[in-house]
Amino acid sequence: MDRCPFYPSEIETLRKFDSHDWVNDGNFVRELAGRSGQETELDTKIKVFTSIYPDISADKLKIWANSKGTGFHASTNNDDKDELFKAFKTHDFTTDAKFQEFVKEKFQKDGTKSAGNALGLDKNLLSIKAEYYSLTAKRPIDLDEFKKWEEKQNPAQACPYAHLWNPNTNKKIDAEKKYPHISVVDLAKVTDNAEALDQKHMSSIQDHFQKAMEDENINAVFIHRTYTDNELLPTDNWFLPPLATTASTPEEIKASKAVYAAFIHLVLIARRLAVQKPLVVLANGKIDRSTLALALAGRDFVVTENFSVKMDNALFPFSPLFELSHLHRLKEGQVKGTMSYLTHHPTLVIRAPEALSVGLAQSFIPANLSNSLLEDMFVSSACPPPHSGRAVRSTYLSQTAYPGPSKLSPWNEEIETYFSPLCDGKYSIQELCDTLGEIDKPWSQTYSQGVRKLPAVLVEMKHRAFIGSQNNPFHQCLMDEYRNTTTWWSTEDCAALLLSKKESNKPAAKASDQRVVANLVNALLEPTKDLTLDDIIPN
């Protein structure tokens, strides 16, 4: 056995080297920032430590620090690396305003390297975090070493932000277990996993809602969807599929109006239910824009990383009118122009980070914990009314995780500058596109070119509809949404846009005289004075 190279009198000083608070040692941080390229972090530590404890030699410190596994001491240099990586991993980047500015500056500088859109942030987020943390903490993060360290901590995850979440696997809901105080709507069973939501499916959901409202023993209603082991990942599956509608012929439009009216009725019932009892939606998949209003009806909307909604929708460009036109009321501090930015964006897909950032969703839960959360909410909802809602909300809020950065956050300044005046009616959507087209940046070019590809009538209709609904009550917005949508279906522009979606070589829009467009939109949006929701809703 090798003889210990350290004298007993040196051991106590050497152990101080292990326990020294390097993170808060200002002299070490300064030395580390100014070190030469060949000087290692250990060299810097030894230089600083020997200036404090001159009786210990640098050679002895190197032997001590590199004697991993010899049993000479309990702590090694690896402990310091663990401490650094743990601090980096648990840093709250979400509320770090300086980090948000750093991300924005990085993207503005390297935007073209990131495919010219904010999605590039997602791919490079970890390296951006590491660069930021290294600069602010004055301690370099070796990403390769960090990834190896992280793999040892947790098994590999499907989502790039899953390392921020509890890695427990999703437990199955016990189908045999009964919760007499709740009503559960499993969309997989109600819709038979159909690719479109028809009147039969909506009637079944409506029955659940009606029974829950009439039964005093039901404290809460939950909407979720189960996925079988043989199905694709939920990311590729519908949570709420599109309405079974099309508008190619007058006959199809007539049938589609009936389906849409049934949906309007279902949303109204859902809103009434949510006033009486908590209506919780846990979305673990895609939602079509045409059916999004149902998911938002209860204002207890929980999403996973598999949630998404595509804003580009030729058939339902006004949905959901109330929630989108009232975005500035959903969340305190919301940039007013966010509504116009979202509703006109030609390529935007809203996912969990964006849904939370604008106030459409109330909580994020990792998909692998969604069933566990459901059961926890089932149990907490046993709390008798009127406290059931608070109990359920406390449950999902206490388990809320960080979903990753919102694609909207880096653009708040631009949204405020260019889109807030649009909401205030200071200029038209066409004038906005002209302004954006003159800005030599990928995001502005993508936005203005995308809007110009749409029919001018649709662009103007959307602009007026959303701006004009900002202060309207829910029932008025719902009626206007139905009227605007079904009016749009009857136009030649709608037919041309639908055709262009099927045949990519067909143009969706042509240059139009703005005066002609304005007159046409005036006629299309002329209120029908005698139209009420009772006229829309089926008997």
Side-chain angles (χ1 to χ4, degrees):
M1 182 176 176
D2 293 339
R3 185 183 70 83
C4 178
F6 311 111
Y7 293 107
S9 59
E10 295 175 326
I11 296 293
E12 182 177 352
T13 303
L14 291 168
R15 292 197 187 282
K16 289 179 180 178
F17 179 81
D18 290 338
S19 60
H20 187 75
D21 187 4
W22 300 105
V23 176
N24 295 310
D25 187 328
N27 189 28
F28 167 69
V29 172
R30 285 190 294 272
E31 290 286 344
L32 189 65
R35 64 180 173 163
S36 65
Q38 298 187 1
E39 182 177 326
T40 67
E41 184 173 337
L42 177 59
D43 292 335
T44 307
K45 286 183 176 180
I46 291 174
K47 182 168 67 175
V48 172
F49 192 82
T50 51
S51 69
I52 303 173
Y53 299 96
D55 293 334
I56 194 75
S57 72
D59 290 340
K60 284 286 182 78
L61 279 170
K62 278 192 176 182
I63 295 171
W64 174 267
N66 294 320
S67 59
K68 180 180 179 181
T70 61
F72 295 143
H73 58 91
S75 179
T76 69
N77 192 45
N78 220 41
D79 293 331
D80 185 64
K81 189 174 292 185
D82 280 354
E83 179 187 342
L84 172 63
F85 289 159
K86 285 178 183 177
F88 171 62
K89 182 176 180 178
T90 57
H91 182 75
D92 189 1
F93 291 95
T94 318
T95 57
D96 191 333
K98 291 183 179 179
F99 173 68
Q100 298 296 335
E101 284 298 315
F102 185 78
V103 170
K104 183 176 177 179
E105 290 173 6
K106 285 291 294 181
F107 184 72
Q108 288 177 335
K109 181 180 178 182
D110 303 321
T112 54
K113 298 178 183 178
S114 303
N117 59 65
L119 286 172
L121 294 176
D122 295 351
K123 299 178 181 178
N124 302 316
L125 180 67
L126 185 59
S127 60
I128 293 174
K129 283 183 175 180
E131 182 180 350
Y132 171 82
Y133 194 85
S134 299
L135 289 170
T136 55
K138 305 298 183 185
R139 303 190 69 192
I141 299 291
D142 186 321
L143 270 185
D144 291 334
E145 288 294 320
F146 174 76
K147 290 174 183 177
K148 293 176 184 177
W149 173 85
E150 193 174 40
E151 286 176 3
K152 293 179 182 178
Q153 310 300 310
N154 298 312
Q157 302 287 348
C159 178
Y161 307 109
H163 66 284
L164 301 173
W165 313 327
N166 189 324
N168 295 338
T169 56
N170 204 15
K171 68 178 183 179
K172 298 288 185 181
I173 295 179
D174 187 353
E176 301 302 319
K177 194 169 184 178
K178 301 297 182 182
Y179 297 94
H181 59 279
I182 65 172
S183 175
V184 179
V185 180
D186 183 346
L187 292 174
K189 296 178 181 178
V190 171
T191 66
D192 297 321
N193 288 313
E195 290 294 305
L197 197 68
D198 62 25
Q199 288 166 284
K200 179 184 175 182
H201 303 144
M202 289 185 279
S203 178
S204 181
I205 298 172
Q206 184 177 321
D207 287 343
H208 278 275
F209 291 170
Q210 293 285 12
K211 291 175 182 176
M213 285 193 288
E214 295 166 4
D215 190 343
E216 294 181 354
N217 296 316
I218 298 296
N219 293 349
V221 178
F222 297 88
I223 301 178
H224 78 115
R225 177 184 282 270
T226 56
Y227 296 94
T228 66
D229 294 335
N230 296 325
E231 284 185 293
L232 297 171
L233 290 174
T235 310
D236 302 312
N237 281 319
W238 288 113
F239 175 79
L240 262 175
L243 291 177
T245 53
T246 185
S248 300
T249 67
E251 292 75 18
E252 289 177 346
I253 291 175
K254 183 178 179 181
S256 295
K257 284 183 177 181
V259 173
Y260 193 18
F263 180 74
I264 294 289
H265 191 201
L266 180 61
V267 172
L268 274 174
I269 293 174
R271 294 274 297 196
R272 291 170 190 159
L273 169 62
V275 172
Q276 298 179 20
K277 304 171 183 184
L279 173 60
V280 183
V281 178
L282 202 167
N284 189 24
K286 299 186 298 183
I287 297 180
D288 189 75
R289 186 170 174 179
S290 65
T291 50
L292 182 58
L294 178 59
L296 302 176
R299 300 299 302 145
D300 283 302
F301 186 38
V302 182
V303 295
T304 75
E305 67 272 24
N306 298 320
F307 161 78
S308 67
V309 58
K310 188 178 180 182
M311 294 304 291
D312 178 25
N313 194 306
L315 274 177
F316 291 90
F318 306 98
S319 301
L321 183 60
F322 176 78
E323 285 78 9
L324 291 179
S325 64
H326 287 66
L327 276 181
H328 60 291
R329 302 177 190 273
L330 291 181
K331 194 168 185 179
E332 187 176 351
Q334 183 91 261
V335 176
K336 191 174 183 181
T338 302
M339 180 263 289
S340 289
Y341 182 80
L342 291 183
T343 54
H344 292 293
H345 201 294
T347 60
L348 181 66
V349 176
I350 296 178
R351 303 188 189 277
E354 294 76 51
L356 264 74
S357 70
V358 300
L360 289 176
Q362 283 67 55
S363 175
F364 169 82
I365 187 77
N368 63 345
L369 296 179
S370 57
N371 285 348
S372 298
L373 173 63
L374 269 177
E375 282 211 302
D376 289 344
M377 291 191 293
F378 292 169
V379 173
S380 64
S381 63
C383 185
H387 309 294
S388 310
R390 181 177 296 179
V392 170
R393 289 177 196 111
S394 297
T395 301
Y396 68 66
L397 289 174
S398 68
Q399 298 185 37
T400 296
Y402 173 55
S406 167
K407 290 178 291 188
L408 302 178
S409 298
W411 306 111
N412 277 342
E413 184 177 336
E414 284 78 5
I415 292 172
E416 177 69 40
T417 301
Y418 297 107
F419 291 86
S420 291
L422 185 67
C423 288
D424 294 330
K426 293 183 179 178
Y427 47 66
S428 70
I429 183 68
Q430 296 300 333
E431 289 172 330
L432 170 66
C433 287
D434 291 341
T435 301
L436 295 181
E438 295 172 359
I439 301 174
D440 187 21
K441 289 185 178 180
W443 75 268
S444 60
Q445 295 295 323
T446 299
Y447 202 103
S448 60
Q449 291 171 14
V451 172
R452 290 186 193 282
K453 289 180 181 179
L454 296 173
V457 168
L458 174 60
V459 174
E460 185 64 22
M461 282 182 73
K462 285 202 299 182
H463 174 58
R464 292 201 202 176
F466 284 104
I467 296 299
S469 299
Q470 290 182 96
N471 297 310
N472 288 348
F474 174 75
H475 284 69
Q476 181 66 44
C477 287
L478 202 59
M479 186 170 66
D480 289 343
E481 178 188 324
Y482 177 87
R483 178 173 52 81
N484 293 343
T485 302
T486 53
T487 300
W488 160 244
W489 290 349
S490 66
T491 65
E492 293 181 0
D493 291 283
C494 179
L497 182 58
L498 291 175
L499 185 61
S500 72
K501 297 289 183 181
K502 294 180 181 179
E503 303 176 26
S504 56
N505 61 330
K506 294 285 185 180
K510 58 183 179 180
S512 302
D513 183 87
Q514 290 191 14
R515 185 179 302 173
V516 174
V517 170
N519 291 336
L520 180 57
V521 171
N522 286 337
L524 291 172
L525 295 183
E526 182 68 29
T528 306
K529 296 180 180 179
D530 57 347
L531 181 67
T532 66
L533 281 175
D534 290 334
D535 298 317
I536 297 171
I537 295 170
N539 295 325

